[in-house]
Amino acid sequence: MSSRLSFKEYLKSTVAEVSKELSCIIPEHWDVPESLKVSMHYSLMAGGKRLRPLLVIAAAEAFGGSRAAAMPIACAVEIVHTYSLIHDDLPAMDDDDYRRGKLTNHKVYGEATAILAGDALLTHAFYCITQAGRKHGVPAEQLLSIVEELAEMAGARGMVGGQVADMLGEQGITQLQELEFIHLHKTGDLIIFSLLAGGRVGGASAEQLEGLRRFGRDLGLAFQIQDDILDLVGDEAKLGKATQSDVQQHKVTYPYFIGLDASQQEVERLTHSAKQALAEAAIPDPGRLIEIADYLMKRDH
Amino acid sequence: MSSRLSFKEYLKSTVAEVSKELSCIIPEHWDVPESLKVSMHYSLMAGGKRLRPLLVIAAAEAFGGSRAAAMPIACAVEIVHTYSLIHDDLPAMDDDDYRRGKLTNHKVYGEATAILAGDALLTHAFYCITQAGRKHGVPAEQLLSIVEELAEMAGARGMVGGQVADMLGEQGITQLQELEFIHLHKTGDLIIFSLLAGGRVGGASAEQLEGLRRFGRDLGLAFQIQDDILDLVGDEAKLGKATQSDVQQHKVTYPYFIGLDASQQEVERLTHSAKQALAEAAIPDPGRLIEIADYLMKRDH
């Protein structure tokens, strides 16, 4: 049915569905301290593109996988993304007071609760994955591979490793290669994970998973370069935040290294290459994934 | 073979084996920023009783399960325990400079790295669990239940929930029941998890797992009350830390509520009750678990 929707409708309805699921992610019978629950909920519901869940769902559906079975994993990846934002915003890290126009978690609930809400969210992501088995019969073997991949790609060699490299890099990145390492891990790994996990739920072959990995790698890098570009030349009203923050914080970006025009060309090249990887992997119904790639390239926020 | 060792020898050799495993927990081919790896390693190797891994292994062996298969899960639970200590010690939380006579993680590596090392450790714990399948053939179904239980018992309704309750409690606990909630979750849940996970690796039945759960509940509470007692009347040299810290920090403890004698009696009663639960669950070889319970009751550090 969803294939009949326009991409705009598909995007809107999928994001709404994901947000609804996320709004009741903690089982009702769980005895959780109220302040913790409220703080977790605050950041989960603070908006955002829900890009990673969208990729999980679109990848599953590209193989005819069920949206219901993909949903717990879609939630898991958004939960991991959310925890990483809460911890990134802490005074000891980026020390941000606002995110997407709302006060950051620690500004509302205090640092201690924000740290613990992040910890509880990260832990809960793994719980969600197991529920795809309990509630939707996804085989344990597949879910265990998904747990393994999330632990790799969100951990020391993945997202957290990228965050550490970013922190160290603030003392001076001199090569584009270093910036690429940060982008690939801090943002890219969770995007790749989303595609692989969705593919697994849909029953992708090893070769098809490799195609999704290549798609995700290029898409993730394009996404991050586009972020750098928007920070430089975007519309503050559409972005919901001040532009030029990278320049002001002396942050090294793609435009800093290769200029604005070459950065824009790189986004186009990577998006094309991403779609090429999909085409070569013989994925039954890649339509939505292609639309997502085009949408990200053209986005203005 | 291990059944021929005295308990003291069993304890020593098991702790040494666990520590050795923990010393090389990050796969060598992983590309992890050096400062992150060093910081994770620092806290993993900072000593401690290794009680939780010991319980995983003893529970697996009580059912004839293999130590090799239990080891990745034993490591996982110690990794979770370690991350929780790193985050607990942060300035925004307990603000501790020393733990077990060594500088805390953030005092050595800075707050940002300490937060991220904790995050990476928590994430890595789930990776370790999957390796019990990859390397030792533990069935995926069982491992997924272990993932689910760890996510429950270390998360919002478990350890992190207990930590939040403890933090809130600093504003004034008036009932023993509240203190029990904190102890049960902050310490107890991970102890229960260790026993259940070990039992699962050993092939325990649902009834036997219930016996392990009751054993763990009483053991965990006894352990925490004993901690309260040792803080009050322990030997600083043996403990490796200053006593009376709870009194100085106006922390509410079991002795505060019911007195020292009654607290000591409660430790004995709970230990007896724990062993009773084991006996009723018809566990093939509960010897080491009983010895661990007795050892914890009599410990002076």
Side-chain angles (χ1 to χ4, degrees):
Chain A
M1 210 179 91
S2 63
S3 61
R4 288 192 218 143
L5 298 176
S6 73
F7 178 67
K8 207 174 156 187
E9 288 165 333
Y10 173 83
L11 192 66
K12 198 177 160 190
S13 64
T14 308
V15 167
E17 247 182 87
V18 168
S19 294
K20 195 178 159 212
E21 279 292 321
L22 286 169
S23 73
C24 51
I25 204 71
I26 304 280
E28 276 197 15
H29 65 281
W30 281 21
D31 185 12
V32 175
E34 193 59 24
S35 61
L36 178 60
K37 209 193 274 186
V38 169
S39 153
M40 293 165 77
H41 191 262
Y42 174 81
S43 291
L44 276 176
M45 292 293 118
K49 285 183 265 301
R50 311 292 194 205
L51 168 63
R52 293 155 192 81
L54 189 67
L55 289 172
V56 176
I57 289 167
E61 290 179 344
F63 296 89
S66 111
R67 171 170 294 212
M71 190 57 83
I73 295 154
C75 289
V77 72
E78 188 69 5
I79 290 171
V80 169
H81 177 56
T82 302
Y83 115 78
S84 78
L85 299 182
I86 296 176
H87 281 190
D88 277 8
D89 288 337
L90 287 168
M93 310 271 283
D94 289 351
D95 195 14
D96 279 319
D97 291 354
Y98 289 90
R99 177 173 289 277
R100 299 182 193 126
K102 290 184 74 175
L103 284 171
T104 46
N105 196 295
H106 67 273
K107 292 305 283 184
V108 180
Y109 302 100
E111 259 185 85
T113 300
I115 294 168
L116 292 167
D119 293 344
L121 284 168
L122 170 56
T123 313
H124 197 65
F126 290 95
Y127 180 82
C128 289
I129 294 175
T130 66
Q131 300 312 295
R134 291 263 178 270
K135 294 183 184 162
H136 305 286
V138 181
E141 270 295 349
Q142 268 181 35
L143 291 178
L144 209 62
S145 293
I146 291 173
V147 167
E148 187 180 22
E149 267 166 2
L150 180 59
E152 269 196 62
M153 301 186 119
R157 83 180 304 195
M159 188 183 70
V160 174
Q163 175 64 20
V164 169
D166 192 15
M167 230 168 57
L168 297 173
E170 282 162 18
Q171 289 139 38
I173 293 177
T174 54
Q175 296 190 329
L176 187 63
Q177 217 181 351
E178 295 171 65
L179 184 61
E180 199 181 279
F181 179 93
I182 294 167
H183 283 352
L184 280 176
H185 292 295
K186 196 175 164 179
T187 318
D189 279 342
L190 220 49
I191 285 176
I192 294 174
F193 166 78
S194 302
L195 291 158
L196 292 178
R200 283 185 195 282
V201 170
S205 69
E207 205 178 35
Q208 288 165 329
L209 289 176
E210 192 46 41
L212 287 173
R213 182 190 298 275
R214 286 174 50 211
F215 174 72
R217 186 202 169 280
D218 289 347
L219 189 75
L221 198 50
F223 177 80
Q224 193 57 54
I225 299 173
Q226 182 75 352
D227 246 25
D228 287 354
I229 293 171
L230 288 171
D231 186 83
L232 202 62
V233 299
D235 180 331
E236 295 200 353
K238 282 177 184 160
L239 285 167
K241 64 176 179 184
T243 55
Q244 308 262 338
S245 70
D246 292 337
V247 180
Q248 277 162 30
Q249 291 170 40
H250 304 286
K251 264 198 139 167
V252 169
T253 64
Y254 258 74
Y256 169 89
F257 272 117
I258 61 173
L260 188 59
D261 283 354
S263 296
Q264 274 161 340
Q265 281 162 28
E266 187 63 3
V267 170
E268 281 171 40
R269 188 191 68 77
L270 285 165
T271 304
H272 179 77
S273 163
K275 292 194 287 187
Q276 190 72 23
L278 270 192
E280 285 167 18
I283 290 169
D285 185 9
R288 293 304 188 194
L289 291 172
I290 293 170
E291 287 172 342
I292 293 172
D294 287 330
Y295 156 71
L296 290 179
M297 182 173 68
K298 290 178 195 142
R299 76 198 161 98
D300 55 12
H301 66 285
Chain B
M1 212 180 89
S2 63
S3 62
R4 289 193 216 139
L5 299 175
S6 73
F7 178 67
K8 208 174 155 186
E9 288 165 333
Y10 173 83
L11 192 65
K12 199 178 158 189
S13 64
T14 308
V15 167
E17 246 182 89
V18 168
S19 295
K20 197 180 156 207
E21 280 291 321
L22 287 170
S23 74
C24 51
I25 205 71
I26 304 280
E28 275 195 16
H29 66 279
W30 280 21
D31 185 13
V32 175
E34 193 59 24
S35 61
L36 178 61
K37 209 194 273 189
V38 169
S39 154
M40 291 165 77
H41 191 261
Y42 175 80
S43 290
L44 275 177
M45 291 295 118
K49 285 184 265 302
R50 311 295 193 202
L51 169 63
R52 293 154 192 82
L54 190 67
L55 290 172
V56 175
I57 289 167
E61 290 179 344
F63 296 88
S66 111
R67 170 170 295 211
M71 190 58 81
I73 295 153
C75 288
V77 71
E78 188 69 5
I79 290 171
V80 169
H81 177 56
T82 302
Y83 115 77
S84 78
L85 299 182
I86 296 176
H87 282 189
D88 277 9
D89 288 337
L90 286 168
M93 309 272 282
D94 289 350
D95 194 15
D96 279 318
D97 291 355
Y98 289 91
R99 177 173 290 276
R100 297 180 194 130
K102 292 184 75 175
L103 284 170
T104 46
N105 196 294
H106 67 272
K107 292 305 283 183
V108 180
Y109 301 101
E111 259 184 84
T113 300
I115 293 169
L116 291 167
D119 293 345
L121 284 168
L122 170 55
T123 312
H124 197 66
F126 290 95
Y127 179 83
C128 289
I129 294 175
T130 66
Q131 300 311 297
R134 291 265 178 267
K135 294 183 186 163
H136 305 286
V138 181
E141 270 293 350
Q142 268 180 36
L143 291 178
L144 209 62
S145 293
I146 290 173
V147 167
E148 186 179 24
E149 266 166 2
L150 181 59
E152 270 197 62
M153 300 186 118
R157 82 182 304 195
M159 188 182 71
V160 174
Q163 176 63 20
V164 170
D166 192 15
M167 231 167 57
L168 297 174
E170 281 162 18
Q171 288 140 37
I173 293 178
T174 54
Q175 295 190 333
L176 187 63
Q177 219 182 348
E178 295 171 65
L179 183 61
E180 199 180 278
F181 179 91
I182 294 167
H183 284 352
L184 280 176
H185 292 295
K186 195 175 164 179
T187 318
D189 279 341
L190 220 49
I191 285 176
I192 294 173
F193 165 78
S194 303
L195 291 158
L196 293 178
R200 283 186 195 280
V201 170
S205 68
E207 204 178 36
Q208 288 165 329
L209 288 176
E210 191 46 40
L212 287 173
R213 182 189 298 275
R214 286 173 51 210
F215 174 72
R217 186 201 170 280
D218 289 347
L219 189 76
L221 199 49
F223 177 80
Q224 193 57 53
I225 299 173
Q226 182 75 351
D227 247 24
D228 288 355
I229 293 171
L230 287 172
D231 185 83
L232 202 63
V233 298
D235 179 329
E236 296 199 354
K238 282 177 184 160
L239 286 167
K241 65 176 179 183
T243 55
Q244 308 263 336
S245 70
D246 291 339
V247 179
Q248 277 162 30
Q249 290 170 40
H250 304 286
K251 262 199 141 168
V252 168
T253 64
Y254 258 74
Y256 169 90
F257 272 117
I258 61 173
L260 188 60
D261 283 355
S263 296
Q264 274 161 341
Q265 280 162 28
E266 186 63 3
V267 171
E268 280 171 42
R269 187 192 69 76
L270 286 164
T271 304
H272 180 77
S273 164
K275 293 195 286 186
Q276 191 72 25
L278 271 193
E280 285 167 18
I283 290 167
D285 185 10
R288 294 303 188 195
L289 291 172
I290 294 170
E291 286 172 341
I292 292 171
D294 287 330
Y295 156 72
L296 289 179
M297 182 174 68
K298 289 177 195 144
R299 78 199 160 98
D300 55 13
H301 66 285

